[in-house]
Amino acid sequence: MAQQERAREKAFRAAPNLNKSPLHGLWALTNRDLIKWYKNPIQLIISLVQPIVWLGLFGKAFNIAALFTSQPGVTQAEIAAVDLGTFGTTSYFSYLAAGMLAFIILFTAAFAGMSVVWDRRFGFMNKAMSTPVGRGAIVTGKVLQSVVRSLIQAAIVLAIAVALGMDTANFSVFAIAGTFVMLFLMTFGLSSLFVMLALRSSDWQTQMAIINLLNLPLLFTSNAMLPVKIMPAWLQTVVRFNPVSYAVDGVRQMLLGSGSAAAAAAGYSVLAPLWVDFAVLAAFAAVLSVLGIILSWRLLSK
Amino acid sequence: MVDSGGVVVDVESLSKTFGTLKAVDGVTFQIREGEIFGFLGPNGAGKTTTINMLTTLLRASGGKAVINGYDIRKQPNEVRRSVGVVPQEYTADEDITGLQNILLCADLYGLPRNDSRPHAMELLELVELQEAANRKVGTYSGGMRRRLELASGLINYPKLLFLDEPTLGLDVQTRSAVWRYIRMLKEEYRMTLFLTTHYLEEADSLCDRIAIIDHGHIIKIGTPDELKATVGGDIIAVGVAEAEPDISADIAKIPLVKDVKKNGNEYRIKSEVGEESSIQIIDLVRSKGLHVTKISLTKPSLDEAYLELTGRSIREEESNKMDAFKQRITMMRARR
């Protein structure tokens, strides 16, 4: 009897009630990846180098105005009109800066799948799978950490672009809020896509190959760096099927006023009306995230 | 109090097929409340596959299993909530601290926040990691990481704990520490434990009952003593000074003696109770006017039982790593 008493003393306290909501653990999973990210600022700095190099070197060197000023008898007004008609803004640098916001989102989202691969490799995925946490929460956590990271990085890129001389004439609270809603939809869809592609993979070489296979084509078949107008007709068609194009188009309309009557009069045509840009991206994000959750139920268990 | 007759794990003809490979081929066993049950077998025998099915990481291809009253196929979330799992590999995140790792597990189980911190500290203390609680896991030694895995597996107050090769690759001190924790969980916390191992001495010293598993089949289930008894008794070796006369037939008449072999000046005698027979044997030898030069009594070990049951020594099996490797490759391919 004495021994039984001792055993009772040693026993753990009674188990408390567990939270059985399908979303429990979602924040814990998201936060785990975020802690690892902000505790290691090198990663953030390196990921910002590329868009800054593009902006600072390419954006500044690709001075469209200089091409025309070398011609005799061309006035500043004429140059501005050509720029406005081609880019929807008189500054190529500002045009590229909007594209760079999409660029940083795309390149951050592409690596969302990598942490799935690491977690599979190091056994954390198995640990999580042996707990009652929702399979959908595992996938959504991976998507959310990528969304948070890419939006923070986009904000930094935007601040740097402004510091380097981006045209802020059209900036307003609504324009900036709208821009981040647009970028949110874009990164949500892209992160879901890349997480989905990584669900069954435990091999990071394959994952790197997938990232490289999709990243640059998604970038170059969009309007992120060059106007659609100067592309060959077949490429213009491809651009219309690339969700990145709609995000960039929407961001330019909001931040640079490229949808203005003046730009239209100068010959610039937007890819789609602003509400269509939002609708396309909302559909893209919704379809891919739902698909990701459905696939997680099937693919995460063996 | 504890109902020792309660069945907490009830497995019937459970199987798992990867492509053409039958990793687990219809295993049937029961685990009773409060016991330490062990799966003993070489690498690739199907131990981890079985544990992965029971902890709902793998879908079973056939058969059924009920854990704590929940069906692994129909109620996987109830099974997950009610058991603890300590996997073979190190699953803790190296970039965050030991405490953060356990708290993360607590969140994954849905433990209330006001409970998880004191419980996590309690468990870290149990495995003697309280000093290292706020250090990154990357700085932990192998033994510390193994202990952290054990603590993480206990965070959801399980009454049943699964341990997959809990001492694989550990040094002697850490291994005996892990054994101490396992015994403590059974004796002081009244937990039921299911562990897999390919170390005979581990199965022998820890487990109340052992299932010997090989090529996906359970060959025999029993207490360590029952398994040893399959060898057929204790072995008594008696050396005599004189090779003649042969008194084998007389020795065989002694009660409890089962078998006698003469080899030169030595008799090898199998007896059900070696201690009793050996005295009678000495008396007999002396009464025949012979002189005993030496005598030894060997209790059968699990080693010999394993050899008797599977026809191979487990160490032999271990040395045949290439086969196990090939099998693992097949399984990995099949899983994709």
Side-chain angles (χ1 to χ4, degrees):
Chain A
M1 200 60 212
Q3 201 179 348
Q4 284 177 355
E5 286 302 324
R6 200 169 68 90
R8 204 176 295 157
E9 255 173 31
K10 273 271 190 172
F12 299 128
R13 282 166 290 122
N17 287 331
L18 300 180
N19 178 355
K20 293 180 184 174
S21 132
L23 287 180
H24 86 263
L26 175 60
W27 171 244
L29 286 167
T30 311
N31 194 33
R32 161 178 173 260
D33 281 321
L34 289 178
I35 291 175
K36 293 167 70 146
W37 176 64
Y38 67 70
K39 287 264 162 90
N40 185 7
I42 304 279
Q43 217 186 332
L44 173 68
I45 292 164
I46 290 175
S47 65
L48 288 173
V49 166
Q50 236 185 343
I52 292 170
V53 167
W54 275 101
L55 278 174
L57 300 181
F58 185 76
K60 287 295 180 188
F62 195 71
N63 190 349
I64 277 284
L67 287 176
F68 298 107
T69 41
S70 56
Q71 305 287 320
V74 179
T75 66
Q76 282 297 320
E78 281 169 322
I79 293 165
V82 170
D83 275 355
L84 189 62
T86 313
F87 302 113
T89 165
T90 49
S91 141
Y92 175 72
F93 179 81
S94 303
Y95 177 89
L96 184 68
M100 278 303 126
L101 295 179
F103 174 99
I104 185 79
I105 297 264
L106 176 60
F107 277 67
T108 309
F111 282 87
M114 276 311 258
S115 68
V116 178
V117 177
W118 289 126
D119 281 356
R120 274 200 109 88
R121 242 191 143 72
F122 292 123
F124 178 79
M125 193 59 89
N126 267 353
K127 180 81 209 173
M129 299 279 291
S130 70
T131 74
V133 75
R135 314 293 99 155
I138 296 178
V139 167
T140 312
K142 286 291 172 206
V143 172
L144 280 186
Q145 59 93 11
S146 162
V147 166
V148 172
R149 281 167 47 182
S150 52
L151 288 181
I152 291 174
Q153 295 187 355
I156 297 172
V157 169
L158 182 61
I160 292 168
V162 169
L164 289 177
M166 186 181 181
D167 176 15
T168 56
N170 287 285
F171 278 29
S172 69
V173 175
F174 286 113
I176 290 174
T179 296
F180 278 90
V181 171
M182 189 124 244
L183 294 178
F184 168 81
L185 294 172
M186 175 185 169
T187 182
F188 206 88
L190 285 172
S191 302
S192 300
L193 171 71
F194 282 99
V195 166
M196 226 186 301
L197 291 172
L199 278 183
R200 290 239 78 170
S201 170
S202 55
D203 155 20
W204 63 268
Q205 289 95 335
T206 316
Q207 196 55 29
M208 281 303 285
I210 291 174
I211 291 172
N212 285 328
L213 187 73
L214 290 178
N215 247 353
L216 288 181
L218 274 174
L219 186 69
F220 288 121
T221 61
S222 81
N223 50 2
M225 297 204 285
L226 292 170
V228 184
K229 213 156 109 172
I230 65 168
M231 293 176 185
W234 64 268
L235 190 54
Q236 292 193 13
T237 313
V238 178
V239 168
R240 295 203 159 266
F241 284 98
N242 182 349
V244 175
S245 309
Y246 292 89
V248 176
D249 185 60
V251 168
R252 283 194 185 125
Q253 291 190 43
M254 289 183 283
L255 287 186
L256 304 174
S258 63
S260 69
Y268 182 80
S269 55
V270 295
L271 189 70
L274 189 57
W275 72 269
V276 174
D277 289 335
F278 270 111
V280 168
L281 280 168
F284 172 66
V287 167
L288 283 171
S289 56
V290 169
L291 208 59
I293 289 172
I294 292 173
L295 281 181
S296 72
W297 292 333
R298 289 184 49 83
L299 293 186
L300 276 181
S301 42
K302 294 168 234 166
Chain B
M1 281 301 298
V2 177
D3 175 17
S4 56
V7 169
V8 288
V9 176
D10 190 356
V11 179
E12 214 186 297
S13 336
L14 195 68
S15 31
K16 180 69 190 180
T17 323
F18 296 107
T20 55
L21 178 79
K22 281 203 155 182
V24 175
D25 193 2
V27 299
T28 299
F29 61 94
Q30 292 186 326
I31 303 179
R32 292 189 284 265
E33 193 172 343
E35 72 174 342
I36 302 182
F37 185 87
F39 252 26
L40 173 68
N43 288 330
K47 304 187 299 277
T48 299
T49 308
T50 306
I51 238 177
N52 283 349
M53 283 191 283
L54 295 182
T55 55
T56 73
L57 283 179
L58 270 178
R59 278 194 212 104
S61 314
K64 70 176 261 199
V66 176
I67 310 249
N68 288 326
Y70 303 114
D71 188 308
I72 57 165
R73 288 178 205 238
K74 291 176 198 143
Q75 298 156 291
N77 270 331
E78 280 77 5
V79 172
R80 288 172 194 139
R81 276 188 203 105
S82 72
V83 304
V85 185
V86 181
Q88 198 179 111
E89 66 268 58
Y90 297 140
T91 61
D93 190 327
E94 292 191 10
D95 300 330
I96 57 179
T97 69
L99 179 61
Q100 282 172 324
N101 265 293
I102 297 203
L103 290 176
L104 174 62
C105 281
D107 282 344
L108 297 184
Y109 278 103
L111 226 64
R113 278 295 173 88
N114 58 10
D115 184 81
S116 54
R117 187 170 279 268
H119 190 45
M121 285 313 292
E122 184 177 50
L123 291 172
L124 284 169
E125 212 166 300
L126 179 91
V127 297
E128 297 158 276
L129 278 180
Q130 65 271 39
E131 320 259 286
N134 292 313
R135 265 167 53 193
K136 275 191 182 179
V137 173
T139 68
Y140 282 23
S141 67
M144 291 167 81
R145 296 196 62 171
R146 180 53 66 193
R147 275 142 59 197
L148 178 64
E149 294 295 333
L150 185 62
S152 305
L154 294 167
I155 190 70
N156 60 327
Y157 300 86
K159 297 299 279 175
L160 168 65
L161 184 67
F162 290 89
L163 299 130
D164 194 5
E165 298 273 7
T167 62
L168 186 70
L170 291 184
D171 60 81
V172 182
Q173 279 123 337
T174 318
R175 177 182 297 190
S176 66
V178 169
W179 286 4
R180 187 156 48 82
Y181 300 137
I182 291 175
R183 288 199 189 98
M184 178 168 67
L185 291 174
K186 171 190 147 79
E187 282 156 22
E188 295 178 1
Y189 295 87
R190 302 283 177 224
M191 284 178 64
T192 310
L193 294 105
F194 175 73
L195 61 90
T196 69
T197 183
H198 64 275
Y199 297 122
L200 289 155
E201 60 275 30
E202 180 160 294
D204 196 5
S205 78
L206 279 182
C207 298
D208 297 309
R209 287 194 307 136
I210 298 169
I212 291 184
I213 180 166
D214 195 15
H215 298 300
H217 294 279
I218 288 183
I219 292 169
K220 195 168 175 81
I221 302 181
T223 65
D225 286 340
E226 281 166 1
L227 293 178
K228 288 171 198 165
T230 58
V231 173
D234 305 344
I235 292 156
I236 306 160
V238 181
V240 290
E242 303 84 1
E244 295 297 329
D246 184 349
I247 56 166
S248 299
D250 299 293
I251 295 175
K253 283 181 200 141
I254 295 174
L256 300 176
V257 166
K258 294 169 72 186
D259 185 42
V260 184
K261 283 198 185 87
K262 183 174 182 289
N263 185 11
N265 283 18
E266 194 180 273
Y267 294 91
R268 282 184 72 82
I269 302 142
K270 251 188 202 178
S271 161
E272 277 172 44
V273 185
E275 291 86 345
E276 282 180 29
S277 303
S278 52
I279 294 167
Q280 290 170 303
I281 291 165
I282 294 170
D283 288 346
L284 178 79
V285 171
R286 287 189 174 150
S287 74
K288 295 282 176 189
L290 304 175
H291 297 91
V292 178
T293 54
K294 59 175 185 180
I295 182 160
S296 70
L297 170 62
T298 316
K299 290 275 169 191
S301 69
L302 207 50
D303 243 326
E304 280 144 346
Y306 188 88
L307 181 70
E308 187 94 6
L309 288 165
T310 65
R312 289 182 314 278
S313 127
I314 200 163
R315 303 219 161 78
E316 223 170 86
E317 200 73 23
E318 276 304 288
S319 62
N320 196 357
K321 286 218 170 88
M322 205 54 209
D323 269 2
F325 177 71
K326 274 184 198 150
Q327 189 168 3
R328 227 172 293 154
I329 297 281
T330 321
M331 282 171 62
M332 272 166 58
R333 285 205 185 118
R335 275 180 204 178
R336 280 193 186 154

